[in-house]
């Protein structure tokens, strides 16, 4: 095969959050990084998926690229982009290619590989990162297809299995944990530092569990005010978090920041002011907002995303069955995609075009002969030779062009176009495949 | 076998089974085992109470005089305090510790088993019952604080080390445990104080002096000061949680040491020698 799909990256399964948070790509860096990534030798198309829990390069590559050390070049690329020493994360990297790679992407988009299996945010994050690649012009027809299939698979898994319904989000597991520390919630105060989807969710959970009040501090005060109105909370200026911290029993961090917003000395001071009443810190941010050493302080409990994943794992059993059904859907879809992907090969496409046209010629030839009153054998020979010659002349240019492009940049685009022009749909196209096809665009 | 011994053995078996049932509850999380644990503990409490009553009738005075009687009565009171508290808080985890504690202490009491002892006439007064009940009730409440503190430390450790799961969610919340510990201290301490005061008064009537520097008295004074300091630290410096639990455990360890050590090695009036 001339092309392959390759995924190189690391995730919460292989790397601690300290590594993940340093390797994660801020959105502003994506466009230039994608351009450099696509420039690597052997890379035809490329996208970067970067969330709090994973950093992955998804690429369509030359078939022999792995053999020629592309994996290493990609991990060196990551090191250079993120200013890290290669050795700092190399041990955490994985690489999947072929069906394995497609399966991985489908599982990621379907939230089967998530920290909290079934959590809905990941699909949106994958979509956003695919769009970045489309914007950068580094995605072509293969990535277009594989990502859109991934979105469709995610949709199927969500609607056909109970994963999403039973999903215990990180947010609610954080609230469960708060219950093992605090007996009553009505005299407790929660504080949000930064407002991400997950921390908002956690705040809502706390609210339904009857938490006394919620303070909200975001970098832009307007956002805090708006959210406070929604949650019936109190907005707090971001630069005065330290002063208000002593009022908070549960502190949820999800602010974008390069340094710790809450340090151990600050918490010690706060604890003195609150007469050592316990505090529960939930760090949902990557990079983290709270200094990990505050967990060592008496009466302070700190959980970050990794810890919460472990807490969530307690309920995994009941979701396991649904996840197995999700995996079955993924398998089915991987096979389907793979048939399409293989059909992108030049030779089978040429064969398919020839077969299709030959079938038309034969059909029309029979029709014409049937309508002839005088069916002399030489008529058949003549018509046969004539139609063959026309067909071959017409097909010569497209087939020559396909052969000429075999193995070059942009072949899939050409093959896809050819298949569309000759109406050679990829095998087993699904009826639910409703996304607009832009392969030839 | 006397009815006292039959009841005592029944109580011992029931304590052991109750500890097992509560332990099972924490393992399999089935509500039935919790109900079973409570019923068994209650049955043990009644049987144990029956044994004490039977002995008291035989002796003609409340059976709190010999080492055996004292320990047995003490274990019984601890269970009583726990059952009373359990009605308000749902504390299966603490139940497991209390049942195991009652089993061990009662078994320990049985080791010192001896016949009933005649009381000298000068000691036959209501003061005996009042003094011993108050002092023991105080210690029983502190024993509960000890059990609660053990559960607290276990739970706290689990939380800190992020070993979370369904099992931990069945433990009472840290807030409840901490509050319960503090409440037990603030009930146990005054009871202990009253126990010491009534003992002094009784001593004055019986022997002519309020205080005779007996080992038990010295130990009681140490324990009393320890708990006084602990309550002070809680109120003023906001000591709570792990620190409070640790000192509570140390305090009660001193109580246990004074009980066993004091009575075995320095038998005095509290050890049943009244001469």
């Amino acid at each position: 095969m001339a092309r392959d799909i390759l995924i190189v990256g690391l995730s919460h399964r292989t790397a601690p959050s300290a590594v993940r948070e340093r390797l994660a790509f801020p959105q502003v860096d994506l466009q230039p990084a994608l351009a450099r990534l696509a420039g690597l030798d052997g890379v035809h198309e490329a996208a970067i998926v970067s969330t709090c829990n994973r950093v992955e390069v998804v690429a369509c590559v030359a078939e022999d690229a792995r053999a020629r050390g592309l994996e290493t070049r990609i991990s060196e690329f990551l090191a250079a982009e993120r200013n890290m020493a290669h050795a700092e994360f190399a041990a955490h990297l994985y690489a999947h290619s072929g069906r394995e790679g497609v399966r991985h992407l489908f599982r990621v988009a379907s939230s089967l590989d998530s920290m909290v299996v079934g959590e809905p945010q990941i699909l949106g994050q994958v979509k956003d990162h695919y769009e970045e690649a489309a914007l950068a012009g580094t995605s072509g027809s293969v990535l277009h297809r594989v990502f859109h299939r991934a979105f469709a698979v995610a949709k199927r898994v969500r609607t056909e299995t109970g994963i999403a319904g039973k999903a215990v989000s990180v947010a609610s597991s954080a609230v469960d944990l708060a219950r093992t520390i605090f007996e009553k919630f009505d005299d407790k105060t929660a504080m949000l530092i930064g407002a991400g989807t997950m921390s908002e969710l956690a705040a809502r959970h706390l609210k339904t569990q009857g938490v006394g009040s919620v303070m909200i501090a975001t970098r832009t005060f307007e956002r805090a005010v708006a959210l406070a109105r929604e949650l019936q909370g109190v907005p707090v200026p971001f630069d005065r978090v330290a002063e208000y911290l002593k009022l908070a029993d549960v502190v949820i961090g999800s602010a974008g920041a390069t340094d710790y917003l809450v340090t151990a000395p600050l918490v010690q001071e706060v604890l003195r002011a609150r007469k050592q009443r316990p505090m529960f810190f939930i760090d949902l941010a990557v990079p983290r907002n709270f200094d990990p050493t505050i967990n060592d302080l008496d009466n302070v409990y700190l959980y970050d995303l990794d810890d919460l994943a472990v807490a969530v794992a307690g309920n995994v059993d009941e979701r396991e069955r649904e996840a197995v059904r999700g995996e079955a859907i993924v398998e089915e879809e991987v096979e389907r995609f793979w048939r399409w992907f293989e059909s992108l090969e030049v030779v089978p496409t040429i064969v398919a075009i020839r077969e299709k046209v030959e079938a038309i010629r034969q059909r029309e030839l029979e029709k014409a002969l049937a309508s002839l009153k005088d069916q002399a054998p030489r008529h058949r020979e003549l018509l046969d030779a004539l139609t063959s010659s026309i067909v071959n002349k017409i097909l010569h240019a497209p087939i020559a062009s396909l052969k000429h492009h075999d193995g070059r940049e942009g072949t899939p685009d050409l093959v896809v176009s050819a298949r569309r022009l000759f109406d050679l749909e990829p095998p087993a196209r699904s009826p639910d495949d409703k996304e607009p096809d832009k392969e030839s665009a | 076998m006397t009815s006292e011994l039959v009841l005592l053995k029944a109580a011992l078996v029931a304590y052991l089974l109750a500890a097992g049932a509560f332990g099972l509850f924490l393992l399999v999380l089935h509500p039935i085992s919790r109900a079973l644990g409570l019923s068994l503990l209650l049955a043990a409490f009644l049987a144990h109470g029956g044994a004490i009553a039977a002995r008291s009738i035989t002796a003609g005075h409340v059976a709190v005089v010999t080492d055996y009687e004292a320990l047995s009565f003490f274990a019984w009171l601890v269970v009583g305090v726990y059952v009373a508290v359990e009605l308000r808080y749902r504390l299966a985890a603490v139940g497991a510790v209390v049942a195991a504690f009652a089993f061990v202490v009662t078994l320990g009491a049985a080791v010192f088993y001896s016949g009933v002892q005649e009381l000298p006439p000068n000691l036959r007064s209501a003061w005996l019952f009042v003094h011993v009940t108050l002092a023991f009730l105080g210690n029983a409440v502190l024993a509960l604080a000890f059990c609660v503190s053990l559960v607290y430390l276990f739970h706290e450790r689990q939380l800190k080390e992020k070993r979370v799961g369904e099992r931990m969610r069945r433990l009472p919340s840290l807030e409840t445990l901490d509050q319960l510990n503090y409440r037990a201290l603030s009930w146990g301490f005054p009871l202990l104080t009253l126990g010491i005061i009534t003992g002094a008064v009784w001593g004055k009537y019986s022997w002519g002096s309020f205080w005779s520097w007996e080992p038990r008295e010295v130990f009681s004074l140490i324990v009393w000061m320890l708990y006084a300091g602990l309550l002070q630290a809680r109120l003023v410096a906001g000591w709570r949680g792990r620190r409070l639990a640790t000192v509570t455990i140390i305090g009660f360890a001193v109580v246990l040491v004074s009980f066993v050590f004091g009575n075995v090695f320095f038998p005095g009036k509290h050890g049943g020698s009244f001469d």
Side-chain angles (χ1 to χ4, degrees):
Chain A
M1 192 200 309
R3 262 144 226 279
D4 201 354
I5 284 176
L6 175 66
I7 291 182
V8 178
L10 49 78
S11 75
H12 61 97
R13 292 195 190 279
T14 62
S17 57
V19 172
R20 301 200 304 271
E21 65 198 28
R22 287 190 56 202
L23 201 66
F25 283 79
Q27 209 229 337
V28 288
D29 292 350
L30 277 172
Q31 292 293 326
L34 280 165
R36 284 188 284 271
L37 177 60
L40 293 182
D41 178 35
V43 174
H44 296 311
E45 303 174 29
I48 294 171
V49 176
S50 171
T51 73
C52 343
N53 291 328
R54 65 183 69 246
V55 178
E56 290 178 343
V57 166
V58 183
C60 173
V61 301
E63 190 190 16
D64 57 352
R66 261 191 111 168
R68 290 194 288 118
L70 181 59
E71 267 169 65
T72 319
R73 287 200 297 283
I74 289 179
S75 62
E76 278 160 0
F77 155 82
L78 289 172
E81 290 293 325
R82 306 304 311 141
N83 272 324
M84 287 174 80
H86 190 237
E88 283 179 89
F89 63 87
H92 305 295
L93 284 178
Y94 46 75
H96 302 297
S97 59
R99 282 184 174 80
E100 206 42 58
V102 177
R103 182 177 300 120
H104 183 80
L105 182 65
F106 285 7
R107 293 185 76 247
V108 167
S110 311
S111 187
L112 288 168
D113 195 49
S114 293
M115 233 179 207
V116 183
V117 172
E119 57 95 1
Q121 288 107 323
I122 183 69
L123 180 58
Q125 289 165 332
V126 173
K127 276 185 175 163
D128 291 347
H129 283 86
Y130 168 67
E131 270 156 30
E132 287 287 340
L135 188 69
T138 57
S139 84
S141 43
V142 171
L143 284 195
H144 172 85
R145 178 81 184 184
V146 77
F147 271 99
H148 278 89
R149 282 320 302 166
F151 305 154
V153 172
K155 208 168 132 193
R156 269 193 72 188
V157 171
R158 201 170 54 221
T159 53
E160 293 176 30
T161 75
I163 282 183
K166 285 185 182 160
V168 180
S169 69
V170 163
S172 67
S173 78
V175 175
D176 279 357
L177 270 176
R179 275 261 175 244
T180 73
I181 299 170
F182 304 113
E183 186 68 27
K184 286 189 299 179
F185 272 16
D186 55 1
D187 57 352
K188 302 295 184 297
T189 299
M191 182 183 218
L192 295 191
I193 303 178
T197 327
M198 213 127 73
S199 63
E200 221 184 293
L201 215 61
R204 281 178 208 279
H205 270 293
L206 284 169
K207 203 74 193 166
T208 48
Q209 295 281 311
V211 77
S213 58
V214 181
M215 293 185 285
I216 297 143
T218 56
R219 283 197 195 278
T220 50
F221 193 64
E222 291 71 31
R223 172 101 176 91
V225 171
L227 197 58
R229 197 173 298 132
E230 219 175 298
L231 294 171
Q232 291 156 323
V234 187
V236 169
F238 197 79
D239 52 353
R240 296 180 65 188
V241 161
E243 290 166 54
Y244 285 90
L245 207 55
K246 63 170 178 284
L247 302 174
D249 303 287
V250 180
V251 188
I252 304 170
S254 63
T258 43
D259 284 328
Y260 296 133
L261 294 173
V262 175
T263 59
L266 173 63
V267 176
Q268 267 173 320
E269 205 178 294
V270 165
L271 278 174
R272 264 195 298 279
R274 3 184 322 119
K275 282 200 158 189
Q276 308 292 324
R277 275 180 296 124
M279 296 179 86
F280 182 30
F281 287 87
I282 304 164
D283 200 338
L284 302 174
V286 178
R288 280 168 286 183
N289 285 163
F290 307 141
D291 181 347
T293 61
I294 67 177
N295 190 49
D296 301 336
L297 298 173
D298 253 1
N299 299 312
V300 178
Y301 306 91
L302 166 69
Y303 277 69
D304 64 19
L305 278 171
D306 287 357
D307 305 327
L308 290 171
V310 176
V312 167
N315 307 35
V316 155
D317 286 358
E318 46 185 290
R319 288 202 310 279
E320 206 94 298
R321 258 169 300 144
E322 297 302 318
V324 167
R325 294 181 53 208
E327 301 284 359
I329 292 174
V330 165
E331 281 316 305
E332 188 187 323
E333 293 283 351
V334 167
E335 282 315 308
R336 193 144 96 189
F337 175 82
W338 203 253
R339 281 199 297 276
W340 175 82
F341 190 59
E342 283 182 329
S343 77
L344 286 188
E345 296 303 306
V346 165
V347 176
T349 302
I350 292 173
V351 171
I353 291 173
R354 282 199 195 284
E355 279 171 358
K356 172 138 192 175
V357 174
E358 180 61 16
I360 294 169
R361 190 183 70 83
Q362 289 291 348
R363 209 163 48 240
E364 296 305 316
L365 184 62
E366 293 309 319
K367 262 197 256 172
L369 286 172
S371 60
L372 274 181
K373 286 170 207 150
D374 172 19
Q375 286 196 19
R378 62 185 182 89
H379 288 155
R380 168 176 276 274
E381 276 164 34
L382 185 72
L383 281 176
D384 194 31
L386 173 69
T387 51
S388 287
S389 159
I390 292 172
V391 159
N392 286 338
K393 289 258 155 47
I394 290 173
L395 287 183
H396 176 76
I399 285 173
S401 174
L402 279 170
K403 281 182 176 162
H404 176 70
H405 272 86
D406 195 2
R408 297 188 188 202
E409 199 82 11
T411 315
D413 301 331
L414 189 65
V415 174
V416 165
S417 305
R419 298 192 80 100
R420 282 180 71 84
L421 286 174
F422 285 95
D423 197 21
L424 302 171
E425 278 310 317
R429 275 211 65 135
S430 57
D432 61 336
D433 202 6
K434 274 173 278 191
E435 87 259 5
D437 267 313
K438 286 181 281 185
E439 277 101 335
S440 53
Chain B
M1 204 158 43
T2 61
S3 59
E4 182 214 345
L5 277 175
V6 173
L7 284 167
L8 188 72
K9 282 177 182 167
L12 271 171
V13 171
Y15 279 140
L16 192 62
L17 290 176
F22 279 125
L24 197 67
F25 169 70
L26 292 175
L27 281 180
V28 302
L29 306 173
H30 199 289
I32 288 252
S33 52
R34 179 182 172 276
L36 192 68
L38 252 182
S39 320
L40 283 165
L41 193 61
L42 209 59
F45 179 68
L46 293 176
H48 197 171
I52 293 169
R55 188 175 174 100
S56 300
I57 289 165
T58 315
H61 57 87
V62 185
V64 288
V65 176
T66 66
D67 288 337
Y68 154 69
E69 288 170 356
L71 276 173
S72 167
F73 183 62
F74 174 60
W76 183 72
L77 276 179
V78 172
V79 176
V81 169
Y82 167 73
V83 170
V85 170
E86 167 71 33
L87 296 178
R88 270 204 60 193
Y89 301 87
R90 318 200 102 216
L91 301 164
V94 179
V97 181
V98 166
F101 179 84
F103 174 74
V104 170
V105 173
T106 313
L107 195 67
V111 170
F112 297 109
Y113 187 82
S114 58
V116 292
Q117 192 179 358
E118 275 298 308
L119 270 181
N122 64 328
L123 295 184
R124 283 187 199 157
S125 79
W127 282 109
L128 169 66
F129 183 69
V130 174
H131 162 63
V132 172
T133 304
L134 283 173
F136 275 30
L137 203 57
N139 279 317
V141 173
L142 296 174
L144 183 71
F146 166 79
C147 294
V148 167
S149 293
L150 282 180
V151 177
Y152 182 96
L153 286 189
F154 174 74
H155 189 172
E156 200 252 10
R157 188 109 225 103
Q158 300 277 90
L159 253 178
K160 282 275 190 200
E161 289 176 359
K162 321 285 168 78
R163 279 196 303 241
V164 294
E166 204 48 44
R167 207 143 293 148
M168 198 182 73
R169 285 176 200 149
R170 292 295 173 102
L171 296 176
S173 69
L174 287 182
E175 185 179 21
T176 299
L177 290 169
D178 188 51
Q179 246 172 34
L180 195 61
N181 189 12
Y182 174 60
R183 277 206 194 146
L185 289 179
S186 46
W187 275 93
F189 181 70
L191 283 168
L192 194 68
T193 312
L194 284 174
I196 292 173
I197 292 171
T198 51
V201 173
W202 186 35
K204 177 73 183 164
Y205 279 127
S206 309
W207 292 284
S209 71
F210 285 109
W211 197 264
S212 50
W213 294 107
E214 262 212 342
R216 171 61 55 73
E217 289 171 12
V218 175
F219 271 119
S220 291
L221 195 64
I222 293 170
V223 170
W224 186 86
M225 289 194 296
L226 202 71
Y227 281 116
L230 188 56
L231 279 170
Q232 173 77 0
R234 161 80 177 211
L235 289 171
V236 177
W239 273 34
R240 56 171 72 234
R242 198 172 61 87
R243 230 185 280 182
L244 194 73
T246 311
V247 181
T248 304
I249 288 170
I250 293 171
F252 192 71
V254 175
V255 172
L256 281 180
V257 166
S258 84
F259 215 108
V260 176
F261 191 73
N263 283 19
V264 174
F265 296 99
F266 307 103
K269 294 186 196 76
H270 283 95
S273 331
F274 299 102
D275 318 311

